mmCIF file with all atom_site columns, all heavy atoms in Angstrom:
data_model
loop_
_atom_site.group_PDB
_atom_site.id
_atom_site.type_symbol
_atom_site.label_atom_id
_atom_site.label_alt_id
_atom_site.label_comp_id
_atom_site.label_asym_id
_atom_site.label_entity_id
_atom_site.label_seq_id
_atom_site.pdbx_PDB_ins_code
_atom_site.Cartn_x
_atom_site.Cartn_y
_atom_site.Cartn_z
_atom_site.occupancy
_atom_site.B_iso_or_equiv
_atom_site.pdbx_formal_charge
_atom_site.auth_seq_id
_atom_site.auth_comp_id
_atom_site.auth_asym_id
_atom_site.auth_atom_id
_atom_site.pdbx_PDB_model_num
ATOM 1   N N   . ASN A 1 15  ? 107.605 118.810 120.433 1.00 93.00 ? 1158 ASN A N   1
ATOM 2   C CA  . ASN A 1 15  ? 108.730 119.269 121.269 1.00 93.00 ? 1158 ASN A CA  1
ATOM 3   C C   . ASN A 1 15  ? 108.389 120.603 121.920 1.00 93.00 ? 1158 ASN A C   1
ATOM 4   O O   . ASN A 1 15  ? 108.647 120.822 123.109 1.00 93.00 ? 1158 ASN A O   1
ATOM 5   C CB  . ASN A 1 15  ? 109.992 119.458 120.422 1.00 93.00 ? 1158 ASN A CB  1
ATOM 6   C CG  . ASN A 1 15  ? 110.615 118.137 120.014 1.00 93.00 ? 1158 ASN A CG  1
ATOM 7   O OD1 . ASN A 1 15  ? 110.306 117.095 120.575 1.00 93.00 ? 1158 ASN A OD1 1
ATOM 8   N ND2 . ASN A 1 15  ? 111.495 118.183 119.033 1.00 93.00 ? 1158 ASN A ND2 1
ATOM 9   N N   . TYR A 1 29  ? 88.104  113.951 118.293 1.00 97.00 ? 1172 TYR A N   1
ATOM 10  C CA  . TYR A 1 29  ? 87.392  113.959 117.009 1.00 97.00 ? 1172 TYR A CA  1
ATOM 11  C C   . TYR A 1 29  ? 86.169  114.851 117.192 1.00 97.00 ? 1172 TYR A C   1
ATOM 12  O O   . TYR A 1 29  ? 85.196  114.443 117.843 1.00 97.00 ? 1172 TYR A O   1
ATOM 13  C CB  . TYR A 1 29  ? 86.992  112.532 116.641 1.00 97.00 ? 1172 TYR A CB  1
ATOM 14  C CG  . TYR A 1 29  ? 86.225  112.415 115.342 1.00 97.00 ? 1172 TYR A CG  1
ATOM 15  C CD1 . TYR A 1 29  ? 86.491  113.242 114.252 1.00 97.00 ? 1172 TYR A CD1 1
ATOM 16  C CD2 . TYR A 1 29  ? 85.232  111.460 115.196 1.00 97.00 ? 1172 TYR A CD2 1
ATOM 17  C CE1 . TYR A 1 29  ? 85.793  113.132 113.079 1.00 97.00 ? 1172 TYR A CE1 1
ATOM 18  C CE2 . TYR A 1 29  ? 84.523  111.332 114.012 1.00 97.00 ? 1172 TYR A CE2 1
ATOM 19  C CZ  . TYR A 1 29  ? 84.805  112.179 112.957 1.00 97.00 ? 1172 TYR A CZ  1
ATOM 20  O OH  . TYR A 1 29  ? 84.108  112.067 111.777 1.00 97.00 ? 1172 TYR A OH  1
ATOM 21  N N   . LEU A 1 41  ? 103.287 113.026 127.345 1.00 87.00 ? 1184 LEU A N   1
ATOM 22  C CA  . LEU A 1 41  ? 104.657 112.995 126.827 1.00 87.00 ? 1184 LEU A CA  1
ATOM 23  C C   . LEU A 1 41  ? 105.602 112.872 128.010 1.00 87.00 ? 1184 LEU A C   1
ATOM 24  O O   . LEU A 1 41  ? 105.500 113.623 128.983 1.00 87.00 ? 1184 LEU A O   1
ATOM 25  C CB  . LEU A 1 41  ? 104.984 114.279 126.063 1.00 87.00 ? 1184 LEU A CB  1
ATOM 26  C CG  . LEU A 1 41  ? 104.224 114.557 124.778 1.00 87.00 ? 1184 LEU A CG  1
ATOM 27  C CD1 . LEU A 1 41  ? 104.669 115.890 124.197 1.00 87.00 ? 1184 LEU A CD1 1
ATOM 28  C CD2 . LEU A 1 41  ? 104.459 113.462 123.765 1.00 87.00 ? 1184 LEU A CD2 1
ATOM 29  N N   . PHE A 1 60  ? 78.716  106.880 118.143 1.00 96.00 ? 1203 PHE A N   1
ATOM 30  C CA  . PHE A 1 60  ? 78.548  106.611 116.710 1.00 96.00 ? 1203 PHE A CA  1
ATOM 31  C C   . PHE A 1 60  ? 77.099  106.204 116.428 1.00 96.00 ? 1203 PHE A C   1
ATOM 32  O O   . PHE A 1 60  ? 76.489  106.683 115.465 1.00 96.00 ? 1203 PHE A O   1
ATOM 33  C CB  . PHE A 1 60  ? 79.524  105.510 116.282 1.00 96.00 ? 1203 PHE A CB  1
ATOM 34  C CG  . PHE A 1 60  ? 79.435  105.158 114.832 1.00 96.00 ? 1203 PHE A CG  1
ATOM 35  C CD1 . PHE A 1 60  ? 80.084  105.930 113.876 1.00 96.00 ? 1203 PHE A CD1 1
ATOM 36  C CD2 . PHE A 1 60  ? 78.686  104.073 114.401 1.00 96.00 ? 1203 PHE A CD2 1
ATOM 37  C CE1 . PHE A 1 60  ? 79.992  105.622 112.531 1.00 96.00 ? 1203 PHE A CE1 1
ATOM 38  C CE2 . PHE A 1 60  ? 78.588  103.754 113.053 1.00 96.00 ? 1203 PHE A CE2 1
ATOM 39  C CZ  . PHE A 1 60  ? 79.253  104.528 112.121 1.00 96.00 ? 1203 PHE A CZ  1
ATOM 40  N N   . LEU A 1 63  ? 74.628  109.015 116.467 1.00 93.00 ? 1206 LEU A N   1
ATOM 41  C CA  . LEU A 1 63  ? 74.699  109.811 115.242 1.00 93.00 ? 1206 LEU A CA  1
ATOM 42  C C   . LEU A 1 63  ? 74.027  109.061 114.087 1.00 93.00 ? 1206 LEU A C   1
ATOM 43  O O   . LEU A 1 63  ? 73.261  109.633 113.315 1.00 93.00 ? 1206 LEU A O   1
ATOM 44  C CB  . LEU A 1 63  ? 76.174  110.081 114.917 1.00 93.00 ? 1206 LEU A CB  1
ATOM 45  C CG  . LEU A 1 63  ? 76.552  111.405 114.288 1.00 93.00 ? 1206 LEU A CG  1
ATOM 46  C CD1 . LEU A 1 63  ? 76.076  112.566 115.125 1.00 93.00 ? 1206 LEU A CD1 1
ATOM 47  C CD2 . LEU A 1 63  ? 78.067  111.487 114.100 1.00 93.00 ? 1206 LEU A CD2 1
ATOM 48  N N   . GLU A 1 106 ? 109.400 85.461  108.349 1.00 93.00 ? 1249 GLU A N   1
ATOM 49  C CA  . GLU A 1 106 ? 109.205 85.042  106.949 1.00 93.00 ? 1249 GLU A CA  1
ATOM 50  C C   . GLU A 1 106 ? 109.782 86.076  105.979 1.00 93.00 ? 1249 GLU A C   1
ATOM 51  O O   . GLU A 1 106 ? 110.374 85.724  104.969 1.00 93.00 ? 1249 GLU A O   1
ATOM 52  C CB  . GLU A 1 106 ? 107.712 84.832  106.660 1.00 93.00 ? 1249 GLU A CB  1
ATOM 53  C CG  . GLU A 1 106 ? 107.090 83.672  107.419 1.00 93.00 ? 1249 GLU A CG  1
ATOM 54  C CD  . GLU A 1 106 ? 107.578 82.314  106.931 1.00 93.00 ? 1249 GLU A CD  1
ATOM 55  O OE1 . GLU A 1 106 ? 108.027 82.215  105.786 1.00 93.00 ? 1249 GLU A OE1 1
ATOM 56  O OE2 . GLU A 1 106 ? 107.512 81.354  107.732 1.00 93.00 ? 1249 GLU A OE2 1
ATOM 57  N N   . GLY A 1 109 ? 113.343 85.764  105.983 1.00 89.00 ? 1252 GLY A N   1
ATOM 58  C CA  . GLY A 1 109 ? 113.687 84.498  105.327 1.00 89.00 ? 1252 GLY A CA  1
ATOM 59  C C   . GLY A 1 109 ? 113.888 84.675  103.823 1.00 89.00 ? 1252 GLY A C   1
ATOM 60  O O   . GLY A 1 109 ? 114.726 84.002  103.216 1.00 89.00 ? 1252 GLY A O   1
ATOM 61  N N   . VAL A 1 190 ? 84.050  121.354 108.642 1.00 94.00 ? 1333 VAL A N   1
ATOM 62  C CA  . VAL A 1 190 ? 83.484  120.506 107.595 1.00 94.00 ? 1333 VAL A CA  1
ATOM 63  C C   . VAL A 1 190 ? 83.619  121.172 106.224 1.00 94.00 ? 1333 VAL A C   1
ATOM 64  O O   . VAL A 1 190 ? 83.850  120.486 105.219 1.00 94.00 ? 1333 VAL A O   1
ATOM 65  C CB  . VAL A 1 190 ? 82.004  120.172 107.936 1.00 94.00 ? 1333 VAL A CB  1
ATOM 66  C CG1 . VAL A 1 190 ? 81.331  119.424 106.797 1.00 94.00 ? 1333 VAL A CG1 1
ATOM 67  C CG2 . VAL A 1 190 ? 81.946  119.344 109.214 1.00 94.00 ? 1333 VAL A CG2 1
ATOM 68  N N   . GLU A 1 210 ? 101.037 103.890 99.528  1.00 96.00 ? 1353 GLU A N   1
ATOM 69  C CA  . GLU A 1 210 ? 101.953 102.794 99.850  1.00 96.00 ? 1353 GLU A CA  1
ATOM 70  C C   . GLU A 1 210 ? 102.463 102.146 98.569  1.00 96.00 ? 1353 GLU A C   1
ATOM 71  O O   . GLU A 1 210 ? 103.635 101.800 98.468  1.00 96.00 ? 1353 GLU A O   1
ATOM 72  C CB  . GLU A 1 210 ? 101.233 101.735 100.694 1.00 96.00 ? 1353 GLU A CB  1
ATOM 73  C CG  . GLU A 1 210 ? 100.950 102.161 102.104 1.00 96.00 ? 1353 GLU A CG  1
ATOM 74  C CD  . GLU A 1 210 ? 102.207 102.161 102.958 1.00 96.00 ? 1353 GLU A CD  1
ATOM 75  O OE1 . GLU A 1 210 ? 102.697 101.102 103.317 1.00 96.00 ? 1353 GLU A OE1 1
ATOM 76  O OE2 . GLU A 1 210 ? 102.685 103.275 103.271 1.00 96.00 ? 1353 GLU A OE2 1
ATOM 77  N N   . CYS A 1 223 ? 103.890 93.534  88.243  1.00 91.00 ? 1366 CYS A N   1
ATOM 78  C CA  . CYS A 1 223 ? 103.289 92.431  87.499  1.00 91.00 ? 1366 CYS A CA  1
ATOM 79  C C   . CYS A 1 223 ? 102.099 92.973  86.713  1.00 91.00 ? 1366 CYS A C   1
ATOM 80  O O   . CYS A 1 223 ? 101.184 93.568  87.309  1.00 91.00 ? 1366 CYS A O   1
ATOM 81  C CB  . CYS A 1 223 ? 102.793 91.340  88.446  1.00 91.00 ? 1366 CYS A CB  1
ATOM 82  S SG  . CYS A 1 223 ? 104.008 90.821  89.639  1.00 91.00 ? 1366 CYS A SG  1
ATOM 83  N N   . ARG A 1 238 ? 92.129  87.376  90.169  1.00 91.00 ? 1381 ARG A N   1
ATOM 84  C CA  . ARG A 1 238 ? 92.995  88.031  89.172  1.00 91.00 ? 1381 ARG A CA  1
ATOM 85  C C   . ARG A 1 238 ? 94.331  88.444  89.790  1.00 91.00 ? 1381 ARG A C   1
ATOM 86  O O   . ARG A 1 238 ? 95.379  88.343  89.167  1.00 91.00 ? 1381 ARG A O   1
ATOM 87  C CB  . ARG A 1 238 ? 92.268  89.233  88.557  1.00 91.00 ? 1381 ARG A CB  1
ATOM 88  C CG  . ARG A 1 238 ? 91.168  88.791  87.568  1.00 91.00 ? 1381 ARG A CG  1
ATOM 89  C CD  . ARG A 1 238 ? 90.529  89.931  86.837  1.00 91.00 ? 1381 ARG A CD  1
ATOM 90  N NE  . ARG A 1 238 ? 89.737  90.765  87.721  1.00 91.00 ? 1381 ARG A NE  1
ATOM 91  C CZ  . ARG A 1 238 ? 89.873  92.082  87.844  1.00 91.00 ? 1381 ARG A CZ  1
ATOM 92  N NH1 . ARG A 1 238 ? 90.748  92.721  87.110  1.00 91.00 ? 1381 ARG A NH1 1
ATOM 93  N NH2 . ARG A 1 238 ? 89.117  92.752  88.689  1.00 91.00 ? 1381 ARG A NH2 1
ATOM 94  N N   . ILE A 1 240 ? 95.819  86.973  92.403  1.00 93.00 ? 1383 ILE A N   1
ATOM 95  C CA  . ILE A 1 240 ? 96.607  85.760  92.663  1.00 93.00 ? 1383 ILE A CA  1
ATOM 96  C C   . ILE A 1 240 ? 97.178  85.205  91.357  1.00 93.00 ? 1383 ILE A C   1
ATOM 97  O O   . ILE A 1 240 ? 98.341  84.817  91.282  1.00 93.00 ? 1383 ILE A O   1
ATOM 98  C CB  . ILE A 1 240 ? 95.734  84.706  93.389  1.00 93.00 ? 1383 ILE A CB  1
ATOM 99  C CG1 . ILE A 1 240 ? 95.395  85.226  94.797  1.00 93.00 ? 1383 ILE A CG1 1
ATOM 100 C CG2 . ILE A 1 240 ? 96.442  83.358  93.473  1.00 93.00 ? 1383 ILE A CG2 1
ATOM 101 C CD1 . ILE A 1 240 ? 94.267  84.493  95.484  1.00 93.00 ? 1383 ILE A CD1 1
ATOM 102 N N   . TYR A 1 243 ? 100.187 87.154  90.272  1.00 93.00 ? 1386 TYR A N   1
ATOM 103 C CA  . TYR A 1 243 ? 101.391 86.803  91.040  1.00 93.00 ? 1386 TYR A CA  1
ATOM 104 C C   . TYR A 1 243 ? 101.885 85.409  90.637  1.00 93.00 ? 1386 TYR A C   1
ATOM 105 O O   . TYR A 1 243 ? 103.097 85.169  90.592  1.00 93.00 ? 1386 TYR A O   1
ATOM 106 C CB  . TYR A 1 243 ? 101.103 86.857  92.543  1.00 93.00 ? 1386 TYR A CB  1
ATOM 107 C CG  . TYR A 1 243 ? 100.990 88.273  93.093  1.00 93.00 ? 1386 TYR A CG  1
ATOM 108 C CD1 . TYR A 1 243 ? 100.056 88.586  94.073  1.00 93.00 ? 1386 TYR A CD1 1
ATOM 109 C CD2 . TYR A 1 243 ? 101.830 89.294  92.647  1.00 93.00 ? 1386 TYR A CD2 1
ATOM 110 C CE1 . TYR A 1 243 ? 99.942  89.879  94.577  1.00 93.00 ? 1386 TYR A CE1 1
ATOM 111 C CE2 . TYR A 1 243 ? 101.720 90.577  93.146  1.00 93.00 ? 1386 TYR A CE2 1
ATOM 112 C CZ  . TYR A 1 243 ? 100.775 90.868  94.108  1.00 93.00 ? 1386 TYR A CZ  1
ATOM 113 O OH  . TYR A 1 243 ? 100.676 92.144  94.607  1.00 93.00 ? 1386 TYR A OH  1
ATOM 114 N N   . GLY A 1 271 ? 105.142 78.187  93.338  1.00 92.00 ? 1414 GLY A N   1
ATOM 115 C CA  . GLY A 1 271 ? 105.899 79.459  93.459  1.00 92.00 ? 1414 GLY A CA  1
ATOM 116 C C   . GLY A 1 271 ? 105.302 80.440  94.436  1.00 92.00 ? 1414 GLY A C   1
ATOM 117 O O   . GLY A 1 271 ? 105.889 81.475  94.726  1.00 92.00 ? 1414 GLY A O   1
ATOM 118 N N   . GLY A 1 343 ? 94.834  129.452 119.994 1.00 87.00 ? 1486 GLY A N   1
ATOM 119 C CA  . GLY A 1 343 ? 95.161  129.795 121.384 1.00 87.00 ? 1486 GLY A CA  1
ATOM 120 C C   . GLY A 1 343 ? 96.565  129.427 121.811 1.00 87.00 ? 1486 GLY A C   1
ATOM 121 O O   . GLY A 1 343 ? 97.183  130.131 122.591 1.00 87.00 ? 1486 GLY A O   1
#
Side-chain angles (χ1 to χ4, degrees):
Chain A
N1158 286 344
Y1172 179 35
L1184 294 179
F1203 180 82
L1206 215 56
E1249 294 290 337
V1333 174
E1353 288 286 287
C1366 310
R1381 286 186 292 126
I1383 293 165
Y1386 286 142

